[in-house]
Amino acid sequence: MIDPREIRKDFPILEQQVNGRPLVYLDNAATTQKPRQVIEALVRYYETSNANIHRGIHTLAVRATEQYEAVRGKTAAFLSASHPEDIVFTRNTTEALNLVARAWGDANVHEGDEIVLTLMEHHSNIVPWQQLAQRTGALLRYAGITPEGKLDLDEVRGLIGPRTKVVSVTHMSNVLGTINAVAEIGEMARQAGALMVVDGAQSAPHLPVDVEALGCDFFAFSAHKMLGPTGVGVLWARRGLFETMEPFLGGGDMIALVRQDESTWADVPHKFEAGTPNIADVVAFGAALDYLQDLGMGAVRAHEMALTAYAMEQLSSIEGLTMHGPERADERGGVVSFAMNPAHPHDIATIADGHGVAIRAGHHCAQLLMRHLGVAATSRASFSIYNDKDDIEALAEALEHVNRVFG
Ligand code: PLP
């Protein structure tokens, strides 16, 4: 069982006051805070092990290489993936999805082929596919959302057909919190001979994930949303898939042999990690993975689901507040988006900030979803392991203040 009070002791940033009130950080879907263990791992790496990796013979280079590669193994274990070589480190989810659209998409998607997405995607799972469609003449197809804020699976099924080359879906919506049936959609894709890409930016931090059980072909996520540093993303690919792909970027570390007119490539995963990677932050990400694994992702999920249920209960008693997304907390992750007309989401976030409560307001990089909901923006509270019921009550108190201001 998770004890947020104990956990909070590991997060120095949460000790501060904001606008004269204790900081209540509820913007975890944007990025989480970092425990001391991660911060110390980063500092320790620079104080004891810093060197460039893979090419060096000297002791520090070997040590840095071992530490970096060990995190590849930890990442594979975190995803229940059998092979660390199927993990490529990128800068973030966005770069991981661009890698797929470029390195796999350019070779396999042609004019008239179809790419199936959904209206609840983050821009990072839309724009790379739009660019691919523009390069190749492929067509984009978007599955809609039911009035309850769930993905319309019948529509997904109807869209996937013989022309479908790739289906790319978020595992969990960063706005609605909806957890999507990606295994079921992956099965539909497989039967049509299409590839299944899962945007795991919001799921990997909050749910137990087993990529092999999900049956997907690619799974992408970001370290910074799961207690790790910024600047590290992960792309996992089904066994053998990376080998069929040409590199995304060229340069040092990704080659086997360079001649004047052409080169050959290093083995996977190095073929996809051109140049000096973000070594220190990858090493520190290892500490974040250890932290989450020690808690257990099942316990993380249980804690955040209970908190979400409590938040939905508290917020439903606030006059004039409407929530977006599924009604049941077990069908969603720890994200609650809401409206309080006539207060603009920016006004709501500003008043909340006055109470020391950090929430997000805006389109959340999901403009297609905003259009579907018929709003320009929403307010969003999102939870992590260090949040507790007091935090939700502080949010509710701030929202009562919004009602006093806007009548
Ligand atoms: N996908 C989803 C569902 C997200 O919530 C986010 C970030 O908010 C991203 C992708 C992009 O992540 P990053 O900015 O780390 O690339």
Side-chain angles (χ1 to χ4, degrees):
M1 198 141 124
I2 283 188
D3 180 353
R5 273 169 206 269
E6 275 305 306
I7 287 178
R8 240 180 341 234
K9 292 180 188 160
D10 290 331
F11 289 78
I13 201 168
L14 298 176
E15 286 162 15
Q16 67 189 287
Q17 303 241 319
V18 166
N19 294 319
R21 309 273 188 106
L23 168 62
V24 172
Y25 186 77
L26 298 177
D27 193 16
N28 295 286
T31 198
T32 58
Q33 299 304 343
K34 322 303 173 195
R36 211 181 293 281
Q37 290 82 341
V38 169
I39 300 164
E40 285 171 359
L42 188 62
V43 172
R44 191 164 53 244
Y45 170 80
Y46 279 125
E47 287 183 350
T48 65
S49 311
N50 179 52
N52 213 329
I53 54 171
H54 295 144
R55 295 173 293 274
I57 303 296
H58 61 81
T59 299
L60 285 189
V62 172
R63 190 183 297 160
T65 302
E66 283 171 0
Q67 290 181 14
Y68 179 87
E69 290 301 330
V71 179
R72 204 187 298 280
K74 281 183 190 181
T75 309
F78 186 83
L79 296 175
S80 297
S82 314
H83 303 280
E85 315 88 80
D86 295 337
I87 301 285
V88 163
F89 289 118
T90 62
R91 279 189 307 140
N92 44 38
T93 307
T94 304
E95 189 178 272
L97 293 168
N98 275 274
L99 194 163
V100 178
R102 280 272 175 190
W104 182 84
D106 279 357
N108 293 285
V109 175
H110 307 289
E111 192 174 349
D113 286 343
E114 295 182 356
I115 299 164
V116 174
L117 307 172
T118 84
L119 288 181
M120 66 169 81
E121 298 312 313
H122 188 281
H123 296 161
S124 71
N125 197 29
I126 297 173
V127 180
W129 302 114
Q130 289 176 339
Q131 292 172 313
L132 174 65
Q134 280 156 10
R135 287 195 300 277
T136 59
L139 303 163
L140 301 173
R141 298 276 181 253
Y142 289 95
I145 299 163
T146 67
E148 303 87 62
K150 297 186 204 164
L151 190 55
D152 188 334
L153 283 184
D154 289 335
E155 212 174 305
V156 176
R157 194 171 289 108
L159 286 177
I160 297 175
R163 309 257 26 192
T164 309
K165 272 293 166 69
V166 59
V167 180
S168 193
V169 174
T170 188
H171 198 173
M172 179 184 139
S173 163
N174 63 318
V175 178
L176 302 172
T178 316
I179 298 170
N180 290 320
V182 287
E184 199 178 323
I185 300 169
E187 187 52 38
M188 297 176 201
R190 194 164 27 261
Q191 280 177 13
L195 246 61
M196 176 72 188
V197 182
V198 176
D199 172 354
Q202 294 296 340
S203 64
H206 305 289
L207 312 174
V209 171
D210 178 334
V211 281
E212 288 171 9
L214 283 182
C216 57
D217 296 288
F218 292 103
F219 188 94
F221 62 100
S222 298
H224 72 91
K225 293 185 193 288
M226 48 195 296
L227 316 182
T230 50
V232 177
V234 172
L235 179 66
W236 171 86
R238 180 172 49 76
R239 196 91 271 256
L241 204 44
F242 275 141
E243 278 80 357
T244 68
M245 291 158 55
E246 283 295 294
F248 173 43
L249 300 170
D253 224 28
M254 53 72 72
I255 51 83
L257 201 67
V258 174
R259 293 209 168 85
Q260 281 200 5
D261 294 325
E262 57 182 18
S263 302
T264 56
W265 314 137
D267 288 339
V268 169
H270 308 295
K271 179 167 90 169
F272 292 104
E273 292 181 5
T276 303
N278 191 349
I279 308 164
D281 289 308
V282 167
V283 171
F285 176 46
L289 290 170
D290 289 344
Y291 196 97
L292 287 171
Q293 293 281 48
D294 286 350
L295 291 173
M297 289 308 292
V300 169
R301 170 67 180 142
H303 170 73
E304 292 174 358
M305 200 161 76
L307 214 52
T308 305
Y310 188 66
M312 291 173 77
E313 183 195 313
Q314 290 283 305
L315 267 52
S316 64
S317 67
I318 292 173
E319 215 182 308
L321 186 148
T322 52
M323 279 176 269
H324 303 290
E327 273 179 21
R328 282 174 38 193
D330 62 349
E331 290 177 333
R332 60 196 292 163
V335 171
V336 181
S337 278
F338 56 92
M340 292 179 75
N341 294 330
H344 189 278
H346 287 172
D347 297 324
I348 298 171
T350 305
I351 291 173
D353 188 54
H355 287 246
V357 179
I359 60 168
R360 183 146 293 246
H363 56 57
H364 315 291
C365 297
Q367 290 184 359
L368 300 188
L369 177 57
M370 294 299 117
R371 225 160 281 142
H372 167 83
L373 296 172
V375 298
T378 74
S379 305
R380 179 185 75 182
S382 52
F383 315 121
S384 185
I385 48 173
Y386 36 71
N387 294 123
D388 61 10
K389 287 185 169 180
D390 291 349
D391 294 347
I392 308 293
E393 284 158 20
L395 170 66
E397 193 187 312
L399 298 180
E400 295 290 2
H401 186 182
V402 172
N403 266 345
R404 286 198 298 281
V405 173
F406 286 87

